[in-house]
Amino acid sequence: MGRSRGRLLRMFGSPYSRAPRRASLSAALAVTLALCVVACGSDSAPTLTIGAGDSAQSGLLAEIYAGALARSGAHIVVHRGLGTREGQLAALDAGTVLAFGEVTGDLLTALDSTSAASKPDDVVKALNSALPEGLIVGDPADGTDLRPTVVAAATRSTEFPSSLKDLAPRCPDLAIGVATGPALDPMRAPLNPLRDVILPFQTVYGCAITFATAFPTAEAARKALSTGAIQLAVLSGPPSYLPDGGAGLIALSDPSYAFRSAMVVPVIRKAALTDQQLRKLNYVAGELSTTDLADMLRRLRDNHADPADLARTWLDVHSL
């Protein structure tokens, strides 16, 4: 009997030794569960916050960038209501947001009012030098051209050259209107006729404007065009930004950049995005055009479309 009990104890263990084994098993299980929690957490994609100012364009760009980054597997939050350009830069500097949408020339003007850079490559180079430490820009969307634009009534298109470079001989006799009121994008400063139009035209094209009139809105300048009170009008952005897309207007090209280059670009906190995520933003830059942006903005402003839906549709159409 004693030998039998000994064999049983060796096979199954003493009842007095089972409690410590259960305790060891429980401890091991707890450690395993803890490691699992840590491992699962490390597999979760990080949350990236994209900033948006108070303008329709800023909010739309934030949704486009957010949608593109989400397709890299990241969790994305759009932080709206950052107000002005200064508010967005402050949020980026503080790490509250990791990126926001901007316009190259406008941002350079805000950061370095003395810069003479005007052409696209020169503006991007000057912008990189002017940015606060720790901030970079991604690839600019070279299909976007948001510069101020000189327009004529389409009914009088044959009276004017297609380019400002050929306008100089007629400049002294032309009556030109400048829309100085609220800019077509609220993040942009209103045009100053002397600083932003008359002096650059003279310097770049030898176009000596002697008759210039300021108008409080783009619509007021358009009305003056239609009545013949002026021959040309200068708008603060592309005519496609107007509610009707600029119907009845033709634009004169500005090949030598009397108006500073203005392309859409993401401003990014340095090292905040992976190479894959940066490539997603670069894909956006390769596809976005002035026409696309203007169409979405009109639907956003005038039809109260949802910016996230507009961005999602655009990304799908362009296979991004």
Side-chain angles (χ1 to χ4, degrees):
M1 183 68 177
R3 287 192 297 269
S4 298
R5 184 172 183 274
R7 285 194 299 270
L8 289 173
L9 288 176
R10 284 193 296 272
M11 291 174 61
F12 298 106
S14 165
Y16 301 105
S17 66
R18 289 178 186 172
R21 291 183 62 195
R22 282 198 300 268
S24 299
L25 188 59
S26 298
L29 181 59
V31 171
T32 302
L33 288 172
L35 291 173
C36 180
V37 169
V38 171
C40 293
S42 65
D43 290 338
S44 299
T47 296
L48 305 178
T49 303
I50 308 302
D54 289 345
S55 76
Q57 179 171 288
S58 179
L60 178 59
L61 290 176
E63 293 292 350
I64 291 173
Y65 291 145
L69 290 172
R71 297 178 186 205
S72 72
H75 297 306
I76 306 295
V77 173
V78 174
H79 190 318
R80 299 175 179 83
L82 291 175
T84 62
R85 175 173 291 110
E86 290 74 17
Q88 293 181 92
L89 285 169
L92 199 61
D93 182 61
T96 306
V97 303
L98 300 181
F100 66 87
E102 254 294 356
V103 176
T104 53
D106 295 347
L107 182 57
L108 177 59
T109 299
L111 294 176
D112 183 3
S113 61
T114 66
S115 175
S118 184
K119 295 182 179 180
D121 290 346
D122 294 337
V123 168
V124 172
K125 182 178 179 181
L127 182 55
N128 276 313
S129 297
L131 280 170
E133 187 176 356
L135 304 185
I136 59 172
V137 293
D139 286 355
D142 54 13
T144 58
D145 184 353
L146 308 185
R147 290 178 290 167
T149 309
V150 179
V151 296
T155 55
R156 304 183 64 179
S157 61
T158 58
E159 299 179 30
F160 304 101
S162 60
S163 171
L164 292 177
K165 70 178 181 179
D166 300 319
L167 191 65
R170 297 192 55 189
C171 287
D173 301 320
L174 291 174
I176 294 181
V178 181
T180 60
L184 294 178
D185 175 39
M187 298 289 283
R188 173 172 289 173
L191 290 174
N192 177 294
L194 178 61
R195 181 194 65 207
D196 300 325
V197 179
I198 295 174
L199 291 178
F201 277 26
Q202 176 67 58
T203 302
V204 177
Y205 294 113
C207 174
I209 298 172
T210 56
F211 302 103
T213 304
F215 291 90
T217 64
E219 287 305 319
R222 290 180 75 178
K223 184 176 180 179
L225 272 179
S226 67
T227 63
I230 57 175
Q231 284 80 54
L232 298 173
V234 184
L235 308 178
S236 63
S240 54
Y241 270 38
L242 294 168
D244 63 356
L249 299 175
I250 59 166
L252 278 65
S253 67
D254 175 18
S256 298
Y257 290 85
F259 298 116
R260 173 174 279 172
S261 173
M263 298 182 291
V264 168
V265 69
V267 185
I268 307 163
R269 191 173 173 86
K270 194 172 184 179
L273 301 178
T274 66
D275 288 344
Q276 180 194 18
Q277 290 161 351
L278 287 172
R279 284 195 296 271
K280 286 290 185 182
L281 297 187
N282 292 342
Y283 294 156
V284 170
E287 295 292 329
L288 189 62
S289 69
T290 303
T291 300
D292 292 343
L293 190 57
D295 178 64
M296 287 186 281
L297 282 172
R298 291 197 306 272
R299 284 189 279 165
L300 177 58
R301 286 189 325 233
D302 306 330
N303 301 327
H304 308 292
D306 181 77
D309 288 343
L310 291 172
R312 188 179 306 110
T313 300
W314 183 85
L315 290 165
D316 288 343
V317 167
H318 291 270
S319 302
L320 298 176

